[in-house]
Amino acid sequence: MKPTSALTLVAVLMATAAPLSAETLRWARSGDALTLDPHAQNEGPTHTIRHQMYEPLIIRDMTGAFEPALATDWAPSADDPNVWVFNLREGVTFHDGAAFTAEDVVFSFDRALQPNSDMKELIGSITEVRAVDDFTVEIVTDGPNPILPSNLTNLFMMDKDWTEANNTVAVQDFEGGEITFATTNANGTGPYVLQSREPDVKTVMVRNENYWGIDQFPMEVTEIVYTPIQNAATRVAAMLSGEIDFLQDMPVQDLERVNAVDGLVVKQAPQNRVIFFGMNQGADDIEADNVDGANPLADVRVRRAMSMAINRDAIRQVVMRGQSEPAGMIAPPFVNGWTAEMDAESSTDVEGAKALLAEAGYADGFSIRLDCPNDRYINDEGICQAAVGMLGQIGVTVNLDAKPKAQHFPLIADGKTDFYMLGWGVPTYDSEYIFNFLVHGRESDIGTWNGTGYDNDELDAMIASLASNTDLEARNADIASIWRVVQDEQLYIPIHHQVLNWGMSESVGIEVDPEDQPKIKYFTMN
């Protein structure tokens, strides 16, 4: 959606909005879900919308703690350390009235392991999922997997019969531009039922009166009207005028202004997410630069010089208005494996960066294109614009190409970008998740978001071993060793840890979720 459509967006909001009531939540953020297909994209805002309609076996509550969802309890088998046993919730129905059983769980896991699934790295250690009876499932892993439950909180369960009847057994090929029935339709077990969807315009959901947890959660919101609004000024205008009453992606420059308005409040919390730049170091030559027959990013000195050119404190103060924490590694402090020492390793040294570039043979610098989203992260395009100027100080001329996330992310997934922005949250709270997606060499079922071209067989083997290492002390030592390689190779340029700001009417009762993943069933409306 183009920024120039701001007035149109306001008109749409006003034309489609009934008067606010205690039961309606009018919710906005900068971008829309990329797809409703439960397994096609592992992306935060996409998961957030789906969480209202679909459910996994286990969720995290608004504090980040495990909470039973479609499974009531789970534990390793007493007979086989390679097996986890999940007991399913009985009496649950999908939105169309069909009963939820173990058959749907087996089907959903099998679907999530398909080549087009963006969830397969999370469950790559699984060798079999079997139904013991209608309400008992056994998940078999390739060796004991002590943290398997952490990988399942965004893995949604689908109705096998509904999926087959609507010819959507195959996961949507999102990067290929495919549209399927599951792209814009939903049939989950969740607290809200899809009423209508206009991608990038509006999604309406209504309370599921047959929800299994209707008496366990507040469930005070009876209707959700979700509107993506890319333009920051338009988002704030909608908040100030009362057209929306819950806003994610609050523009940092407007926090005090919104918080000063009677009836509105801004709530804040650190986010479990890091923003960084990726660099294609694996190619012999790259297309996005002006260096013929060579790839400057293949030299660690160039990568380090580019990192040293970035003034993270200036980005924090000027671009983010204090709403970020400079990062030296691509793991948030929430995550097992993060250390304060490594997170302090990024420093600004313009003269040192120039010397490194000269040592690498690029004393006169070079030019390169930076691909950046403009509707995904807080001030994403503004961060990229700041980086352009900072890199220019060391002779690296950067041509910025900013576009909506729906066009940006396929560039990374398809290997069509050499220098790019990405943000990464860690729902498992463990470094293995980062390594599986961003460090392991890119293969069909792992390393799918590693756009760097980095491929280290020895490191890959160490990453693979994490899934079955039950000696947590030895496992943590391996995690530290992997991080040391990531840091020394300067695989990525860490920028900062995001700080979340949610704007809302005082009538809305909810605290900020570090995953930036509000689950509306917890909301109260006063």
Side-chain angles (χ1 to χ4, degrees), residues 252-253 255-256 268 312-326 378-379 496-501:
V252 293
Q253 62 270 23
L255 296 179
E256 293 182 7
Q268 182 183 96
R312 294 160 181 82
D313 286 323
I315 290 175
R316 177 181 185 273
Q317 294 170 22
V318 179
V319 181
M320 301 303 292
R321 309 291 179 97
Q323 301 299 304
S324 66
E325 289 296 330
I378 301 170
N379 278 356
H496 59 230
H497 307 292
Q498 281 195 161
V499 174
L500 288 176
N501 291 280

Side-chain angles (χ1 to χ4, degrees), residues 38-56:
H39 307 131
Q41 286 289 289
N42 181 20
E43 193 247 358
T46 301
H47 283 322
T48 298
I49 294 298
R50 292 188 298 217
H51 262 293
Q52 318 312 323
M53 296 174 280
Y54 285 100
E55 293 182 295

Side-chain angles (χ1 to χ4, degrees), residues 470-483:
T470 57
D471 182 338
L472 295 185
E473 185 174 342
R475 184 178 185 274
N476 285 338
D478 285 346
I479 286 174
S481 297
I482 295 167
W483 273 120

